[in-house]
Amino acid sequence: MPAPFSELLFRLANLVLAASALGIAALIVRAIHHRASQRVEPLGVVFALVFLGVGMRAAVRVWATPWTLPEGAAATLIAVDWLAAGATFTFLLLRRRYAVFIETAGLVREYETEYAQKEREAQALAQVNEELRRLDQLKSEFLAMVSHELRTPLTAIIGYSRLLTRQVHGPLTSKQLEHQEAIFRGAQRLSDLINDLLDVSRLEAGRVELNPRPTHVRHVVDQVITVVTVAAQAKQIRIENAVPSDLPLVQADPSRLQQILVNLVGNGVKFSSSAGLVRVTAGRQREQVWVAVEDRGVGIPKDELARIWDPFYQVEAPMQRRHGGSGLGLAIVRRLVELHGGVVRAESEGENRGSRFSFTLPAAPETPSTELLSPLEAAPVEPFLNGREVLIVEDEEQTRDLMRVVVEDVLGGVARVCDDGEQGIREAMDRVPSLILLDLMLPRVSGWEVARRLRQVPRTASVRIIAVSALSRSQEREAALHAGCDAYLTKPFTPDELARIVATTLQGQDVGSNR
């Protein structure tokens, strides 16, 4: 290729390259200036500077560079310059896209910034969740502590009122019996409130575990009627068990089913007028069994039916309440029914027209043995200890004295008492008792540790141990049974409950816990 023609091609290529690159730089600057966001985008500035540099270099090569290229390399350099010129000229033709290009670059940067912000928010949220878990744990510990402190004095109130009602230490007048019954009902009401508060907390945290088994609804209703009889008799209300005797068994936790029905039947009694009727019915619908509690009481306004299941909600205004209650019973009922896989429903035609509460439970898959079909009979309370020794390890004086009275005056045993765990271990080692009633929250050595140590010594390894504690959480019961206790009794308890659990434990039955 002749030198003058090569030089012409070289300078022409750089001229096109310079014009295109400088034009691109100018258009990018214009696009940056007119972009929607007033924020300077660094990526657009970098591209503008790059094309400006390329254009300036090409311009210098057009006007200031002497033609000194070696003849062998000239063709290659000219071809490269024309390729660059063609590329920049093509890019110049896409000038309408520059604004979009700049905005896209800005969006990419904004997305990166937003991603970093989201990551910081996620870390903050994780810290908040951790704090909430810590607060939930503190709440559980606080409720356990408050429950323990409230249950302990209630144990003495309920226990001694029942002993006086049984007239263990002599006859009482009818007025004295009436007053003792009032004391017992008031203490029992406070105990039920504590249990309801704890149950709501456990249900909200998902810490309630069910032990479902084939259960006879009619027998559970009979037990419920026994529980609410005193309140019903005070208002002359009749409770009718209209559950068919041939109703299929349900797959349910018996204690929780009783709790559901106690709340519903108790509500029926509470909101019924004197000489009223509360009726429990049931039937089968496909694979479900429905149970309904009907009353002829004050009824529920239709606009309140959807809200009565909320915790602490009550139809009556707080300052105009006539029937009392905490507003927790129906919330507990709904959640327990749902845990069983059922649904609950409330119906009422309006005020003073009664109400009907119904719920469903799954039918039991198979018929159990005859033992499950008959209700459990309570062990008779009689002096069956016949002089056998019972070691009571309890640091609360009133509770300790109550257990001593039950052991000696009701069950006919001999009680030995101590008020801390270390002394309890020594007493058990010195003279092995037939039974140990063991508190868990003891000074010096806890009740769990006492049980573990006694189980490790052959001399006391087989002695029966009943944990008696105001702690009611499942983990505490499981820890006590794992440590070596044979049974668990939750405070507050009645003398009859203590007597029955002592009887069944000494007979070698697995009685678990009373709640």
Side-chain angles (χ1 to χ4, degrees), residues 379-392:
V381 179
E382 56 185 22
F384 57 82
L385 288 179
N386 298 321
R388 284 187 285 181
E389 286 193 348
V390 176
L391 176 61
I392 300 172

Side-chain angles (χ1 to χ4, degrees), residues 331-452:
I332 294 172
V333 165
R334 184 187 66 177
R335 297 188 184 185
L336 288 177
V337 169
E338 290 173 349
L339 278 179
H340 281 88
V343 294
V344 66
R345 182 182 180 187
E347 302 169 84
S348 179
E349 294 298 323
E351 294 186 52
N352 300 317
R353 301 186 65 180
S355 57
R356 184 178 189 269
F357 291 88
S358 59
F359 60 94
T360 61
L361 294 172
E366 59 184 15
T367 303
S369 61
T370 307
E371 288 80 5
L372 286 178
L373 293 175
S374 59
L376 296 175
E377 295 183 0
V381 179
E382 56 185 22
F384 57 82
L385 288 179
N386 298 321
R388 284 187 285 181
E389 286 193 348
V390 176
L391 176 61
I392 300 172
V393 187
E394 167 65 61
D395 63 325
E396 182 68 27
E397 182 179 0
Q398 288 79 12
T399 306
R400 188 170 62 241
D401 290 343
L402 172 64
M403 290 192 286
R404 180 187 58 78
V405 170
V406 174
V407 168
E408 294 183 345
D409 298 347
V410 177
L411 302 181
V414 177
R416 292 156 47 201
V417 298
C418 57
D419 58 5
D420 70 74
E422 194 69 50
Q423 183 184 355
I425 295 174
R426 290 198 304 268
E427 290 281 346
M429 295 290 189
D430 291 343
R431 193 164 73 246
V432 179
S434 299
L435 176 72
I436 298 177
L437 299 178
L438 178 64
D439 186 25
L440 297 179
M441 301 288 287
L442 292 170
R444 300 174 65 184
V445 178
S446 72
W448 295 283
E449 183 63 23
V450 170
R452 276 192 290 267

Side-chain angles (χ1 to χ4, degrees), residues 25 38 117 124 219 315 317 327 378 440 446:
Q38 297 301 315
Q117 182 179 356
H219 294 158
V315 175
L440 297 179
S446 72

Side-chain angles (χ1 to χ4, degrees), residues 154-437:
L154 276 175
T155 302
I157 297 171
I158 291 175
Y160 281 121
S161 69
R162 288 293 87 181
L163 284 176
L164 290 171
T165 303
R166 288 172 59 90
Q167 305 183 62
V168 173
H169 300 118
L172 300 180
T173 66
S174 59
K175 201 65 176 178
Q176 288 172 329
L177 287 172
E178 181 183 342
H179 291 168
Q180 288 302 324
E181 193 63 43
I183 292 172
F184 174 75
R185 286 201 304 271
Q188 195 64 51
R189 181 177 173 183
L190 182 55
S191 177
D192 291 341
L193 175 59
I194 295 169
N195 292 332
D196 285 347
L197 287 170
L198 292 174
D199 279 339
V200 166
S201 176
R202 292 170 186 148
L203 287 165
E204 288 178 347
R207 294 173 182 163
V208 172
E209 296 182 2
L210 302 179
N211 297 304
R213 57 188 176 92
T215 304
H216 203 306
V217 175
R218 184 175 177 85
H219 294 158
V220 175
V221 174
D222 285 336
Q223 296 167 2
V224 170
I225 292 175
T226 302
V227 173
V228 299
T229 291
V230 174
Q233 289 176 344
K235 299 178 67 175
Q236 298 180 337
I237 292 174
R238 183 166 61 91
I239 304 175
E240 179 184 345
N241 185 354
V243 177
S245 57
D246 59 347
L247 182 75
L249 296 149
V250 296
Q251 190 71 9
D253 185 320
S255 64
R256 292 300 181 179
L257 176 57
Q258 180 174 336
Q259 184 179 3
I260 292 169
L261 287 167
V262 164
N263 275 304
L264 294 180
V265 175
N267 268 2
V269 171
K270 182 192 303 181
F271 293 101
S272 292
S273 56
S274 297
L277 171 67
V278 176
R279 187 167 180 262
V280 184
T281 61
R284 178 163 187 168
Q285 186 176 13
R286 298 187 181 89
E287 300 302 318
Q288 298 281 315
V289 171
W290 59 266
V291 182
V293 178
E294 304 169 351
D295 66 70
R296 302 172 185 174
V298 297
I300 306 169
K302 291 189 176 181
D303 58 347
E304 304 282 354
L305 285 173
R307 303 179 61 188
I308 60 174
W309 306 105
D310 297 337
F312 303 104
Y313 181 78
Q314 293 182 322
V315 175
E316 297 176 305
M319 303 306 294
Q320 300 174 353
R321 291 168 53 201
R322 292 177 293 125
H323 300 95
S326 63
L328 294 174
L330 292 181
I332 294 172
V333 165
R334 184 187 66 177
R335 297 188 184 185
L336 288 177
V337 169
E338 290 173 349
L339 278 179
H340 281 88
V343 294
V344 66
R345 182 182 180 187
E347 302 169 84
S348 179
E349 294 298 323
E351 294 186 52
N352 300 317
R353 301 186 65 180
S355 57
R356 184 178 189 269
F357 291 88
S358 59
F359 60 94
T360 61
L361 294 172
E366 59 184 15
T367 303
S369 61
T370 307
E371 288 80 5
L372 286 178
L373 293 175
S374 59
L376 296 175
E377 295 183 0
V381 179
E382 56 185 22
F384 57 82
L385 288 179
N386 298 321
R388 284 187 285 181
E389 286 193 348
V390 176
L391 176 61
I392 300 172
V393 187
E394 167 65 61
D395 63 325
E396 182 68 27
E397 182 179 0
Q398 288 79 12
T399 306
R400 188 170 62 241
D401 290 343
L402 172 64
M403 290 192 286
R404 180 187 58 78
V405 170
V406 174
V407 168
E408 294 183 345
D409 298 347
V410 177
L411 302 181
V414 177
R416 292 156 47 201
V417 298
C418 57
D419 58 5
D420 70 74
E422 194 69 50
Q423 183 184 355
I425 295 174
R426 290 198 304 268
E427 290 281 346
M429 295 290 189
D430 291 343
R431 193 164 73 246
V432 179
S434 299
L435 176 72
I436 298 177
L437 299 178

